[in-house]
Amino acid sequence: MALPAETMSARRSGNARPAWVESPSRVGRAAKALLLVLITLAVIYPIVGVVGTSLSDQATISVNGGLVLIPTHPQLDAYREIFAGGVVSRALLVSLGITLCGTAASVLVTVGMAYGLSRPEVTGSRVILMVALLTMLFNPGIIANFLTVKSLGLYNSFAALVLPSLVSAFNLVVLRSFFMGLPGELLDSARVDGAGDFRILVRVVLPLSKAAIAVITLFYAVSYWNAFFNALLYLQDSAKNPLPMVLRSFVIGGQSLHEAAAGEIPAPQQAVQMAVLVVALVPILCVYPFLQRYFTKGVLTGAVKG
Amino acid sequence: MADSAPALPRTERSSDRQGASALSRARPARLSLRQRLKRDRVMLLLTLPGLLYFLVFHYAPLFGYLTAFKDYEVYLGFAQSAWVGLANFQAMFSDPAFWSAVANTLQITLTQLVFYFPVPIALALLLNSLVGDRVRRFVQSVVYLPHFIGWTIIVSVFQQLLGGTGVLTHVLQSLGLPGYDMTTDPGAFPWLLTLESVWKDAGWGTIIFLAALLSIDPQLYESAAIDGAGRWRRTWHVTLPGITPIIILLLVLNLGSILSTGFEQVLLQRDAVGPDAGEVLDTYVYYHGIKSGQWGPAAAVGLVKMLIGTALVLGANKVAHFFGQDGVYRGAAR
């Protein structure tokens, strides 16, 4: 459901303004520019503030309050503290593991299902598609999901962080409609050459769908990285907690993270909290440019056009 | 699509058979079912893991709602717990905390509907009015970003901004005013949630409106301009009518999900404002069921919420069809 940036630029190539559009007044232009700057700042300021605070010493934080934009005496104490091998380091490893395994499993299953459902003439595929799509209409809810996970013996296991959200019906629909849009002649000619359905998937469909699969992969990865509710619901053992759960108890809940040995001067509490936030944010900020490049290309357009 | 709903919770094999018979009715089949299954076996095998996922984690849990009719005790297990009929539902309706959760839910969703909903539309109009490609793409990249940031991070950041030791209090105090902690003020809770939602999703929400804006025929603008319509009149008479259908569609669908607040978002902040203002239906189920072990009553609330919620979504979709819209699901199914 991204916007087709190419169509946009095609409609008004470059900065050309159609002849019938009056040029904007100076006031209007200034107001618009100001508005855009404010909106941009509203998004960027908190992020910069979090990074700034994580690098600050206690004195700077006390003077500035809340978020420090420019740390006057930058120091890495907070990061040294959280990477010393305590709760945060462990949670980071859990989160990385869950994100990698979960994303791999989700992409494999989604690709298989989307391809399997991409040809309407396949026996039963319409009914199976309905089974998947109907799940967008209702949500079984917490109690029902909890009892299911428990009765499957997944309670307090890492699998409980992955399996209950393995396939997103939305991603499935996006990928399926992408597969259906591939030129049928290519698939036919592969079949004439003797390729079976699986070979066609691996040799023809997948190489043509790199962009769509990249988007799905990134969407899954981001959602596994951010997910905290499954962990809250299905984990008993706090040693298994992923990073968002650590954020919940130590940053939002305000428990102290200090594990510094006696005699050491601990890093400021707020700086440590913000350092954990930065650790949680960095992977998203790294992945985002790729995501953004794909969805402005309009890869997802087909899904919502309907 | 709603018509096929009762037929759904079937096993994989019987649904296959049903699909096959539907197909063979549609056109004279030359192959028998067995031959077709053999022909399609690779495709069906590839579909199988995903289908199993949906059956196990979306349909099978529905049986868990039988708990709503039981006095469920964990140590007894499901089979041993006694049936209690509708007692759990009676308990639910006589619990003031339940009604308070209903009121909070409606207050939060309605506040979001009135004050969040128009923001992406306004933002999309602003973005659409930018002539320069570079500026527009830059602003788009910036405003889409927060959508990918998780609620735990966003709630933490808002605590730094509006909490007791946050930026807002700091600014107020440096002006000689008393500090204000918005994150623990029960009266401000719906506004806090709305602010956060705007920060997170207003940018992402523009996508669908921008797509609608792009589909407006540029010739309409041109002829309006030739007829002497200025910038604002063109916006009023061409742009807005052009995106009205999608606005109505989204509005109706939003009304359909009026019983669902952003669950993670509320759960993370419920303790800060206290249950009187922070308890919504989903958190009620979580705290009463999972936390306090009142499985039966919590399942009753969950069941009622799911049924009403599903009915509202289906109703909303029907209304959207009535307005000549495709509806989200029909579009996706094609």
Side-chain angles (χ1 to χ4, degrees), chain B residues 67-284:
Chain B
T67 317
F69 305 96
K70 285 207 162 196
D71 181 16
Y72 184 78
E73 296 286 355
V74 177
Y75 60 87
L76 287 177
F78 185 81
Q80 300 291 316
S81 300
W83 292 99
V84 291
L86 296 176
N88 288 325
F89 294 88
Q90 277 167 348
M92 168 183 102
F93 286 122
S94 58
D95 181 6
F98 166 72
W99 292 109
S100 153
V102 172
N104 287 334
T105 307
L106 290 177
Q107 197 191 353
I108 289 167
T109 46
L110 289 176
T111 309
Q112 300 237 24
L113 194 62
V114 175
F115 294 94
Y116 165 81
F117 188 77
V119 180
I121 304 175
L123 194 55
L125 289 174
L126 177 68
L127 286 172
N128 194 52
S129 76
L130 298 178
V131 178
D133 241 6
R134 276 226 190 121
V135 181
R136 195 188 52 239
R137 277 198 201 187
F138 173 74
V139 179
Q140 278 177 340
S141 308
V142 171
V143 297
Y144 292 169
L145 169 66
H147 175 74
F148 297 97
I149 299 177
W151 277 118
T152 44
I153 298 177
I154 290 180
V155 170
S156 310
V157 170
F158 270 78
Q159 239 176 25
Q160 294 298 308
L161 288 169
L162 306 172
T165 56
V167 176
L168 177 67
T169 294
H170 189 76
V171 170
L172 288 173
Q173 280 171 346
S174 64
L175 293 172
L177 297 164
Y180 173 57
D181 184 351
M182 193 177 182
T183 55
T184 55
D185 179 0
F189 193 52
W191 303 102
L192 177 67
L193 296 179
T194 307
L195 261 180
E196 291 166 352
S197 301
V198 167
W199 194 78
K200 183 172 166 47
D201 279 326
W204 186 250
T206 60
I207 287 179
I208 197 158
F209 295 110
L210 282 171
L213 285 168
L214 271 180
S215 67
I216 297 174
D217 186 352
Q219 288 187 341
L220 288 176
Y221 287 106
E222 195 170 345
S223 41
I226 290 165
D227 288 349
R231 190 176 295 277
W232 293 107
R233 294 201 63 137
R234 286 202 303 272
T235 304
W236 187 253
H237 291 292
V238 180
T239 311
L240 281 180
I243 59 172
T244 305
I246 193 81
I247 293 179
I248 292 177
L249 172 67
L250 288 181
L251 199 59
V252 166
L253 290 178
N254 264 305
L255 280 172
S257 55
I258 203 159
L259 287 184
S260 298
T261 50
F263 179 34
E264 295 198 345
Q265 185 191 9
V266 177
L267 186 72
L268 286 168
Q269 301 173 86
R270 170 195 179 270
D271 293 343
V273 291
D276 284 344
E279 193 86 286
V280 296
L281 282 172
D282 287 323
T283 56
Y284 177 96

Side-chain angles (χ1 to χ4, degrees), chain A residues 281-290:
Chain A
L281 262 173
V282 160
I284 295 175
L285 297 181
C286 292
V287 158
Y288 181 67
F290 299 99

Side-chain angles (χ1 to χ4, degrees), chain A residues 251-285:
Chain A
V251 182
I252 300 172
Q255 289 177 40
S256 175
L257 261 173
H258 288 313
E259 294 173 89
E264 272 180 57
I265 303 165
Q269 166 91 359
Q270 290 209 33
V272 175
Q273 293 180 339
M274 292 307 107
V276 184
L277 274 189
V278 172
V279 172
L281 262 173
V282 160
I284 295 175
L285 297 181

Side-chain angles (χ1 to χ4, degrees), chain A residues 1 123 131 134 140 288 292, chain B residues 8 40 59 65 141 199 207 334:
Chain A
M1 59 185 289
T123 317
V131 168
L134 270 184
Y288 181 67
Q292 187 264 344
Chain B
L8 270 156
D40 297 334
Y59 290 94
Y65 277 116
S141 308
W199 194 78
I207 287 179
R334 263 208 306 257

